[in-house]
Amino acid sequence: MQVLVTGGVGYIGSHTVVSLLEAGHSVIVVDNLVNSKIETLDKIKQITNKDIIFYQVDVTDESAVENIFTNHSIDGIIHFAGLKAVSESVERPLTYYYNNLVSTLVLVKVCQKYNVNRFVFSSSATVYGDNKVPFVESMNLFPTTNPYGETKAISERILIDITKANPAFSLAILRYFNPVGAHESGLIGEAPNGIPNNLMPYVTQVAKGKLNKLRVFGNDYPTTDGTGVRDFIHVTDLAEGHVAALDYLTAGTHIYNLGTGEGTSVLELIHAFEVANEIKVPYEIVERRPGDIASCYADTTKAKQELGWVAKRDIIEMCRDAWRFEKNYKE
Ligand code: NAD
Ligand code: UD1
């Protein structure tokens, strides 16, 4: 297939481009580089020894997107492009709603005009809100706590309505749990701008000495050791989940959790990182972070049964690969 990957220079997108190329697909990447670096494309070429067509285009720009569809015959789309920083979304809701919703609307509109009927959308476990774990795709969704989460919940509803009205349209909504780790080569990985918000990049930067100490947000949750529990998933497993979804797609809406199904607490993750890499991660317990929930992990039955996909890499591999990338990474 010829696959258009929006946001393909970013963290999850770049790993998915590698998996698509390795599975024999050809790839067109569209990215405005607002949160990524062009050098990543060279790294992907180094890993795969394959070429990629690249457009530096903002996906909210309808005529620029349409131009790509006139230049190429596209079989399917994986739509990663979006802004994802939760706290920034609270400060700049208009930017988040505009970017994340308009990009999706533009893409679907152009898809319809050019008869492209396979669409894979990046959603998030955040749409479950504070539901009962494990989260199952059929659950009623609880409200999210921030504009970023809302953009995912609203996009899901828009895409489902459009799919209902267009019987030929095939939609996969993929709800990611907590993607971590990096490609085993150490060439591509997660490189957030500024001080990281998420746990694993914070841990790797503490290990590297860039940050002094990790703050563990709360140890009084109703979990095994009192710290938050999450379903960390290796980004390469996540990437492979996209290839499986794209291959499987049939008309209609298909929603899948992409997680491991295993909950790991913050303290367990720190411990796994120390064991995997033989390095200490100094930390202190501080207050809970507003908006956090106690536990979040997936029921992965549906993806296994329908896509034949399961996450294969364990927490030690996630920690080892995250650290290998951080050690190699130069700003
Ligand atoms: P990322 O920021 O690394 O990648 C997103 C890419 O999209 C970046 O390269 C950015 O430059 C590009 N982009 C943003 N807006 C654009 C626009 N209007 N036009 C063109 N390009 C644009 O983020 P990621 O972690 O790779 O996440 C990919 C997708 O998965 C996002 O939609 C995100 O919300 C979703 N997601 C991420 C996580 C996570 O923990 N990383 C969890 C759940 C869902
Ligand atoms: C966060 C977002 C979520 C988003 C996801 C992926 C919030 C409230 N949620 O999820 O919407 O989809 O990122 O981008 O921001 N932790 C620490 N110290 C740190 C960082 C995190 O103890 O410095 C803890 C958190 O309290 C949490 C766990 O580590 O228990 C995971 O946090 P994080 O990596 O930020 O992911 P989520 O909060 O699950």
Side-chain angles (χ1 to χ4, degrees):
M1 265 187 255
Q2 171 115 291
V3 187
L4 183 83
V5 181
T6 76
V9 190
Y11 174 45
I12 306 169
S14 58
H15 290 80
T16 303
V17 171
V18 168
S19 294
L20 286 166
L21 292 169
E22 284 173 346
H25 297 291
S26 57
V27 174
I28 302 162
V29 168
V30 187
D31 202 302
N32 64 1
L33 304 180
V34 68
N35 196 37
S36 50
K37 296 205 175 86
I38 187 78
E39 293 80 55
T40 299
L41 290 178
D42 292 329
K43 306 275 170 59
I44 297 174
K45 286 180 199 161
Q46 220 177 308
I47 294 168
T48 60
N49 216 7
K50 300 211 168 127
D51 281 330
I52 306 158
I53 301 167
F54 174 62
Y55 287 88
Q56 186 169 346
V57 154
D58 191 309
V59 187
T60 61
D61 180 345
E62 188 174 334
S63 63
V65 171
E66 190 161 349
N67 179 46
I68 302 170
F69 280 65
T70 55
N71 290 346
H72 304 277
S73 164
I74 294 164
D75 301 302
I77 298 217
I78 307 183
H79 178 33
F80 291 104
L83 299 172
K84 62 163 183 177
V86 171
S87 55
E88 188 184 53
S89 80
V90 175
E91 286 151 27
R92 301 170 60 200
L94 177 59
T95 307
Y96 271 69
Y97 282 116
Y98 189 87
N99 191 72
N100 291 3
L101 297 181
V102 175
S103 61
T104 304
L105 291 171
V106 162
L107 274 174
V108 179
K109 189 174 169 198
V110 178
C111 272
Q112 294 204 331
K113 185 163 175 189
Y114 289 83
N115 217 13
V116 175
N117 283 319
R118 283 169 181 263
F119 197 99
V120 177
F121 177 67
S122 296
S123 189
S124 167
T126 197
V127 299
Y128 290 107
D130 201 359
N131 249 301
K132 189 173 173 301
V133 283
F135 297 160
V136 188
E137 290 87 344
S138 55
M139 275 176 165
N140 287 328
L141 303 181
F142 279 20
T144 63
T145 54
N146 55 74
Y148 163 73
E150 281 305 289
T151 68
K152 292 298 174 193
I154 296 168
S155 298
E156 285 199 3
R157 293 202 293 271
I158 292 172
L159 290 167
I160 291 168
D161 284 343
I162 291 170
T163 307
K164 274 188 201 149
N166 293 276
F169 204 64
S170 307
L171 169 68
I173 289 174
L174 305 181
R175 293 180 179 155
Y176 312 155
F177 282 69
N178 288 55
V180 295
H183 189 264
E184 59 180 357
S185 63
L187 289 171
I188 57 172
E190 186 173 19
N193 289 327
I195 297 177
N197 294 309
N198 297 121
L199 180 62
M200 184 66 98
Y202 209 106
V203 166
T204 59
Q205 293 196 15
V206 169
K208 203 175 187 182
K210 267 174 85 178
L211 297 168
N212 276 340
K213 201 188 262 184
L214 174 73
R215 287 169 309 147
V216 173
F217 297 134
N219 66 350
D220 57 352
Y221 285 106
T223 59
T224 40
D225 60 23
T227 64
V229 165
R230 295 294 183 271
D231 185 340
F232 298 100
I233 173 170
H234 196 295
V235 66
T236 303
D237 279 321
L238 193 61
E240 289 167 359
H242 288 73
V243 180
L246 193 70
D247 287 345
Y248 169 82
L249 262 185
T250 53
T253 296
H254 309 271
I255 303 179
Y256 299 106
N257 286 339
L258 296 185
T260 63
E262 298 271 330
T264 302
S265 75
V266 175
L267 292 181
E268 284 167 347
L269 182 108
I270 296 169
H271 182 66
F273 189 91
E274 293 182 332
V275 169
N277 300 312
E278 296 178 350
I279 190 161
K280 273 278 173 217
V281 179
Y283 70 87
E284 62 179 333
I285 309 285
V286 300
E287 289 295 293
R288 290 181 180 194
R289 180 173 67 178
D292 275 354
I293 57 174
S295 294
C296 168
Y297 53 90
D299 181 317
T300 57
T301 314
K302 194 173 172 210
K304 186 176 179 185
Q305 280 176 352
E306 295 186 8
L307 304 179
W309 170 89
V310 283
K312 298 193 279 263
R313 295 159 180 87
D314 67 11
I315 197 84
I316 294 290
E317 213 165 338
M318 298 180 213
C319 292
R320 206 188 53 211
D321 290 344
W323 178 229
R324 186 186 297 113
F325 174 73
E326 183 69 55
K327 278 189 296 182
N328 281 347
Y329 184 70
K330 310 229 168 15
E331 302 274 323

